[in-house]
Amino acid sequence: MTEVAQPSASVRVVRVGPVDFEVEFRTGPSPRTAPVLVVRAPAESPRIMAQQAEAVVSWADLVGVRIGGVTAPGVLPAGVGMEDLADGLGEVLDELGLARVNVCGGSFAGDLAYRFAVRHPDRLERVVLTGPGGRVGDHLPPGMGPLELAERLMEAGRPATADYIASALLCLDPALPVRGRAVLRRAMLEQLHRSDDAEFHRWLRCLELQYTAPPLTGDGPGAPLLAVTGEHDVPAPPAACRALAARCPQGVFATIRESDHFVFLTRPSEHLDLTRRFLLDEPLDDLPYLAELERPYRTAAVVPAATG
């Protein structure tokens, strides 16, 4: 039996000013495009990250980044904001000797990836943002701010706070079909219940970064950019996702059927397939899992998605 060589991986910490970036680099056997910089989100568990890495390295090298005090253990100093982190990603690429990359991120990481793309357009090949909301505080219900949640945690306790968070982030309307909704809700509640104080503080710090981020202004990057989300996303509604794509001259907007904000968890195969197709510049038309597909920059032209 012929053994198939496994992609090599290395993990290191790159310190940029007061911020630690935990960097995982995986090389694939036959890359077909520039390395893929994946900015990790809080909801991505080690199992999810491993599955994504295995899929990506079949066609590209992968650079996975977690941020100390936000998505990795550590403390993110007060005063460090989204722009600082976006510029820090650029310095990570300098440290790795990578001039240009594809960039991916979901949820909080999608918002950060977009700000990186705006501030460092010369480093881009293509960009995939999943569930980017711009300013998440514009779409979440009252009481979801970091200070309010900290107070709720002190007054109501961990179980009640976890239930409130899950109810705010998930689409719970029974009239709207979302695959894996019940399983994801249970998993989210269990994760929040199990979290120690340090993990919960990192989650609140992530939320604080999003709530305090300056508003987006002007056009987005000129590189091809896909903004995709679940068709029933709550914290990053499709309209907000479309508006982000509409800022970009080569922006594409799409929604995946029967999913909400956590589409990368509940429909991972479809999400990874769409990501691969876009980064390799393959056609996106007539994909059965897409509910919407549009190129909205300065035009109202719609590319029909498949029905059924």
Side-chain angles (χ1 to χ4, degrees):
M1 179 182 295
T2 302
E3 293 187 3
V4 178
Q6 296 298 313
S8 60
S10 63
V11 179
R12 58 185 290 195
V13 174
V14 177
R15 189 167 183 83
V16 179
V19 183
D20 288 334
F21 293 85
E22 183 183 288
V23 181
E24 177 191 26
F25 190 88
R26 289 180 179 264
T27 56
S30 53
R32 298 167 57 190
T33 183
V36 179
L37 170 63
V38 181
V39 186
R40 296 300 186 184
E44 292 177 298
S45 66
R47 179 180 63 83
I48 293 297
M49 290 190 289
Q51 290 176 344
Q52 292 173 345
E54 182 179 359
V56 170
V57 296
S58 66
W59 46 269
D61 294 342
L62 178 138
V63 182
V65 176
R66 299 199 303 161
I67 302 168
V70 183
T71 50
V75 176
L76 185 70
V80 175
M82 292 284 269
E83 276 72 17
D84 301 308
L85 298 179
D87 291 342
L89 291 172
E91 296 197 40
V92 168
L93 295 183
D94 291 340
E95 182 71 18
L96 298 176
L98 298 175
R100 295 173 67 88
V101 292
N102 296 292
V103 183
C104 299
S107 192
F108 155 79
D111 292 332
L112 178 55
Y114 179 80
R115 291 176 188 270
F116 167 79
V118 169
R119 295 170 72 86
H120 300 275
D122 57 315
R123 312 301 293 264
L124 305 176
E125 290 290 340
R126 300 173 79 88
V127 182
V128 176
L129 310 174
T130 304
R135 285 171 61 89
V136 69
D138 296 338
H139 312 301
L140 290 175
M144 272 296 290
L147 293 179
E148 293 93 334
L149 283 180
E151 292 176 0
R152 182 182 293 270
L153 180 63
M154 293 291 294
E155 296 173 0
R158 181 69 57 86
T161 303
D163 186 74
Y164 183 78
I165 292 171
S167 298
L169 296 180
L170 300 175
C171 173
L172 301 180
D173 186 343
L176 301 176
V178 175
R179 295 192 189 183
R181 172 168 32 213
V183 173
L184 180 60
R185 179 177 171 81
R186 285 197 301 271
M188 180 177 289
L189 290 175
E190 289 175 4
Q191 181 181 3
L192 290 170
H193 289 167
R194 291 197 311 266
S195 298
D196 58 24
D197 290 343
E199 290 175 298
F200 212 88
H201 178 78
R202 291 198 298 271
W203 195 84
L204 292 177
R205 187 68 172 94
C206 173
L207 201 58
E208 179 187 17
L209 287 166
Q210 293 177 284
Y211 267 75
T212 58
L216 300 175
T217 58
D219 276 359
L225 179 146
L226 169 65
V228 58
T229 193
E231 64 174 336
H232 305 308
D233 196 324
V234 175
C241 190
R242 181 192 183 280
L244 201 66
R247 293 174 176 272
C248 306
Q250 297 192 72
V252 177
F253 162 66
T255 60
I256 294 180
R257 297 181 186 278
E258 298 182 4
S259 58
D260 62 5
H261 187 63
F262 297 98
V263 58
F264 54 92
L265 301 179
T266 58
R267 303 205 66 178
S269 297
E270 295 85 353
H271 177 257
L272 284 168
D273 179 67
L274 182 64
T275 298
R276 178 189 60 80
R277 288 173 180 270
F278 186 79
L279 293 185
L280 296 180
D281 196 19
E282 296 178 355
L284 306 183
D285 307 278
D286 301 320
L287 296 177
Y289 53 78
L290 290 185
E292 297 175 86
L293 180 63
E294 182 181 353
R295 294 172 176 85
Y297 183 71
R298 296 181 180 174
T299 177
V302 175
V303 181
T307 58

